[in-house]
Structures are given as C-alpha cells and as structure tokens.
C-alpha cells in the first residue's frame, strides 16, 4: 500500500517536472526579447540658431551597464563560480543635470503632437525654467528630513531646467519635421531632442529607450496625444514625494479610475467598456498584490524619481501595450532599502518601490492607434506570458 502510494507520487512528480520543463522551454521561445539598440538610435536631432544638429545622446544606462558587468565579474571571481553568482540589484545612476525630463513616444503623430508640445512647454517653462544649471545665488538645499527616516538621493531643490525627448518610433509621416519646427519657433535649442528608432518597436520600446537617456531628477513619460492635462504633473510630483523611500525611490502614475461612470467613459462603446473591465479582472488575477490593486495601469502619464530608474528600465522586456504593467511589477519587486533613524542607524527596511496612484483630468482624443478587440486579446496573452516568465525565471534581475 505504502509502496504503491510512493510510486503514484513519484509518477505525478515526474509529470509535473515534465510540464514545467516544457512550459519553461515554450516561454523561452515566445517571451519578448528586445532587439539591441542600433548606433544611430544613440544620437538625437535638435535645433540650433543656425539649423539642425545631430548629437550623441547622454546615456546613464550605458554607465550602469558597465558597473553591473564589473560587479558580476567580481562576483564570479570571488565565488570561483564559472556560471556566475547572483548579485544584488544595482541602484547606481549618474547625478541629474536638469530638474525634469519628459519622454514622448511618438508614432505617426504629426496631427496630434503640436498641441501637446505647446501645453507641455508652457507648463515646463513656468515651473522649471529653461536654465539647465544650478539656479544662480541659490544655496544647495535639501528637503527637511522625514520624521520617519533619513532620505538618501533626495533631489536638489536648486536644480532647474527641463528636457523633452521625443522618441520617433519609425514614423512614416512628418512627426520629426513638426517637432523640430516647433523647437525652432520657440527657441528650444538642445532642450527638445528627437531620437529616431530605425524600425518601429512599439510604445513600450520607445518609452524604455527614452528613459535610458534622461538627465532629470524626475522622469515623466506622457502620451503624445495630449489626453492628459500637463498641469497635473504637479500632483504626480507630490504623490511621488509622499511614497518615496529611504533611497528616494518612488513612482506616481496618473489614474482615470475616478472617471468610471462619468460621461467620458459612459459614452464609449459597450464593447470597449466590457473589454476594459475584463482586462482589469485578468490583471487582478495575474499580477502580484500591489500591482493588482492599481485601478488604472494603462494611463500614459507616469512619473519616476531618478533613483527608481535603475531598478526598472534595465530589466524591461515588453515593448507593446503591456509594458506599463511590467514597469509596475518591477517596481513592486525591487530590492529593499534600509530605513534609517534620525541618528543614522538602520531601524528597518522598505521592500519594493511604492507607487502613488493620482487622479488626473483626462479626455479622449481621436486618432488612437489601439485596435480595441485585437489589442485587448494581445494584451491579455502578453500579460500571461509576462507574468509566467517572471515567475518561472525566464526573466531575472540579472544580465547574464
């Protein structure tokens, strides 16, 4: 009797191992693998007083990558392990040069990007100014210490200026010409930068590429259609500050969740609203706890503190519509940082990067490239593949 039970248990264990192995192999084949960045994609176009110039993009990610490889090589040597040893997630990033970076992914947006740029520049000029150095005669200040913890990497209050990075995702229209013409008219020389991807990668690929090159204390990505009001950026900064941990890691995302039931949502087609609710149900089932509680993961208006970027951007895989969710999952699974008391001693740890969901004004803009039925199905499948890839180790927080 006992022997028979042992044989049965052994049989089912082998079946489970076989299923796991086969699923792991299938995921390796179907899971997204971003293509390498091409040399031309590390340059940008910008206007000058005399014309248009092509320049090399600064890239905090390249420096991060070099540091990470060096750490992994040291880990191999130390452990005398040819296969390498897992090391802690590296949080190094170069210091900020401007206060705010804005990334606009753009694919065939010549008809919609101009009003968005006008609104953005008006707000950014008034809030941060165009000066990209420390404000003259302003002493270096840091925010007062939190009553709960000391804060490392706190943003410099005396740092001003902004940049706009438009990631032209292989557009076939005049998106680049419209953007450069706007920059010329408004004197945004070397403030507005246009990066062109030789081949379309998808919205997620464009956002990730842009975030690799930001120089700001904060980095915002926003949709080029102008559906969100740019003045709501102030709310996102406040939200990010409220959830920032001891390493000043924090994320704030614009949310349309409060608009459910409003005219803006009700007047959508019944099919679109049904698919929206169905996707949210799938999201709740497939994502980890903190991400599953977010009401609106897909709003194209998200802000990251600079210290957050090394824990998210280098590990991104999704390049389609599902990329927002991978960003939020990576934030949730980021390594803990120590929480320090007023005397500098460690009093605990803060796991993951907290996300503030901030209600914002939003209106639907015509010309969306989303195919409601087709893309909803792709998003559901993509989410399942994404979640399984992270759970089964196809994706990992290491580079080798």
């Amino acid at each position: 009797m006992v022997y028979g039970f042992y044989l049965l248990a052994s049989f089912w264990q082998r079946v489970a191992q076989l299923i796991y192995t086969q699923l792991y192999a299938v995921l390796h084949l179907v899971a997204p693998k971003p293509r390498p960045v091409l040399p031309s994609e590390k340059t940008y176009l910008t206007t000058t007083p005399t014309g248009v110039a092509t320049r090399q993009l600064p890239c905090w990610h390249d420096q991060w990558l070099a540091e990470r490889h060096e750490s992994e090589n040291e880990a191999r040597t130390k452990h005398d392990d040819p296969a390498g040893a897992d090391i802690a997630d590296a949080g190094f990033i170069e210091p900020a040069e401007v206060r705010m970076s804005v990334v606009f992914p753009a694919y065939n947006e010549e008809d919609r990007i101009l009003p968005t740029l006008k609104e953005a520049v008006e707000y950014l000029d008034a809030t941060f100014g165009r000066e990209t150095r420390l404000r003259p005669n302003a002493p270096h200040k840091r925010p007062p210490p939190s009553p709960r913890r000391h804060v490392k990497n706190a943003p410099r209050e005396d740092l001003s200026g902004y940049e706009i990075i438009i990631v032209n995702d292989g557009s076939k229209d005049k998106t680049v010409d419209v953007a450069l013409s706007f920059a010329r008219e408004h004197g945004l020389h070397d403030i507005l930068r246009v990066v062109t991807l030789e081949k379309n990668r998808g919205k997620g690929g464009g956002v990730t590429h842009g975030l690799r090159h930001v120089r700001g204390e904060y980095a915002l990505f926003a949709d080029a259609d102008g559906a969100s009001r740019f003045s709501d950026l102030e709310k996102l900064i406040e939200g990010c500050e409220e959830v920032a941990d001891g390493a000043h890691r924090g994320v704030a995302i614009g949310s349309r969740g409060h608009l459910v039931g409003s005219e803006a949502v009700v007047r959508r087609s019944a099919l679109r609203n049904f698919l929206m609710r169905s996707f949210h149900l799938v999201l709740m089932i497939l994502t980890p706890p903190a991400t599953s509680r977010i009401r609106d993961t897909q709003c194209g208006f998200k802000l990251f503190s600079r210290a957050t970027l090394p824990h998210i951007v280098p590990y991104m895989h999704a390049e389609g519509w599902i990329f927002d969710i991978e960003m939020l999952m990576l934030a949730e699974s980021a390594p803990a940082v120590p929480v320090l008391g007023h005397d500098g001693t460690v009093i605990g740890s803060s796991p993951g990067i907290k996300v503030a969901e901030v209600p914002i004004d939003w209106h639907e803009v015509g010309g969306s490239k989303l195919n409601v039925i087709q893309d909803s199905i792709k998003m559901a499948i993509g989410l399942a593949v994404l979640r399984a890839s992270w759970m089964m180790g196809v994706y990992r927080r290491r580079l080798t």
Side-chain angles (χ1 to χ4, degrees), residues 252 259 310:
L259 295 175

Side-chain angles (χ1 to χ4, degrees), residues 181-202:
S181 177
F182 176 85
R184 188 180 302 109
E185 291 173 8
H186 292 81
L188 295 166
H189 308 316
D190 214 33
I191 294 176
L192 190 150
R193 303 175 171 192
V194 180
V195 183
T196 295
L197 304 182
E198 291 189 16
K199 185 178 180 181
N200 179 269
R201 299 188 68 165

Side-chain angles (χ1 to χ4, degrees), residues 116-179:
T116 303
L117 289 176
K118 288 179 179 177
E119 182 186 4
V121 168
E122 181 179 348
Y123 174 83
L124 294 168
D125 277 346
T127 306
F128 305 107
R130 297 189 182 184
E131 176 60 62
T132 58
R133 298 188 299 272
L134 298 182
R135 293 190 183 115
N137 303 320
H140 172 56
K141 298 179 181 179
R142 290 190 182 278
S146 162
R148 294 177 291 125
R149 57 184 179 257
H150 286 294
V151 177
K152 296 181 178 180
N153 305 321
R156 298 181 63 111
E157 290 187 342
D158 53 355
L159 186 62
S160 62
Y162 68 90
E163 66 177 348
I164 296 174
I165 300 176
I166 298 174
V167 183
N168 169 37
D169 194 16
S171 298
K172 306 298 183 184
D173 64 358
K174 297 181 179 179
T175 297
V176 173
D177 295 336
V178 169

Side-chain angles (χ1 to χ4, degrees), residues 93-331:
I93 188 168
E94 297 171 347
E97 297 179 24
V98 295
R99 185 70 169 174
M100 180 64 63
S101 294
V102 179
V103 175
F104 287 116
Y107 176 66
N108 292 341
E109 294 287 0
E110 68 171 328
D111 295 328
R112 303 196 299 177
I113 198 171
L114 201 55
T116 303
L117 289 176
K118 288 179 179 177
E119 182 186 4
V121 168
E122 181 179 348
Y123 174 83
L124 294 168
D125 277 346
T127 306
F128 305 107
R130 297 189 182 184
E131 176 60 62
T132 58
R133 298 188 299 272
L134 298 182
R135 293 190 183 115
N137 303 320
H140 172 56
K141 298 179 181 179
R142 290 190 182 278
S146 162
R148 294 177 291 125
R149 57 184 179 257
H150 286 294
V151 177
K152 296 181 178 180
N153 305 321
R156 298 181 63 111
E157 290 187 342
D158 53 355
L159 186 62
S160 62
Y162 68 90
E163 66 177 348
I164 296 174
I165 300 176
I166 298 174
V167 183
N168 169 37
D169 194 16
S171 298
K172 306 298 183 184
D173 64 358
K174 297 181 179 179
T175 297
V176 173
D177 295 336
V178 169
L180 291 176
S181 177
F182 176 85
R184 188 180 302 109
E185 291 173 8
H186 292 81
L188 295 166
H189 308 316
D190 214 33
I191 294 176
L192 190 150
R193 303 175 171 192
V194 180
V195 183
T196 295
L197 304 182
E198 291 189 16
K199 185 178 180 181
N200 179 269
R201 299 188 68 165
K203 182 180 176 182
V207 169
T208 300
H209 187 77
L211 291 177
R212 286 180 172 184
H213 301 281
V214 293
R215 298 176 295 140
E217 225 26 294
Y218 294 95
L220 172 82
F221 85 76
D223 288 343
D225 61 5
S228 304
R229 292 182 60 179
F230 224 84
S231 56
D232 283 333
L233 176 55
E234 181 179 357
K235 297 179 184 178
L236 263 61
I237 295 174
E238 292 175 356
C240 189
E241 288 292 320
E242 288 176 0
V243 300
D245 59 24
H248 203 261
R249 306 180 308 175
V251 178
I253 63 174
S255 175
R256 301 160 295 184
H258 64 294
L259 295 175
V260 173
S262 69
E263 183 181 355
V265 174
V266 170
R267 67 187 180 189
R268 284 178 166 185
S269 68
L271 174 61
R272 184 161 185 170
N273 284 326
F274 170 76
L275 290 173
M276 177 185 68
R277 295 187 180 93
S278 299
F279 177 74
H280 188 67
L281 178 62
V282 172
L283 182 72
M284 292 176 61
I285 295 171
L286 292 182
T287 55
T291 304
S292 68
R293 290 193 292 269
I294 295 174
R295 297 182 67 190
D296 184 5
T297 60
Q298 304 307 113
C299 181
F301 203 63
K302 292 182 172 66
L303 181 76
F304 306 85
S305 69
R306 188 168 184 81
T308 297
L309 299 177
H311 300 286
I312 295 178
V313 175
Y315 308 108
M316 286 293 297
H317 300 87
E319 297 199 318
W321 299 106
I322 209 72
F323 81 99
D324 302 76
I325 297 173
E326 185 171 27
M327 284 184 161
L328 298 173
M329 287 170 51
L330 284 166

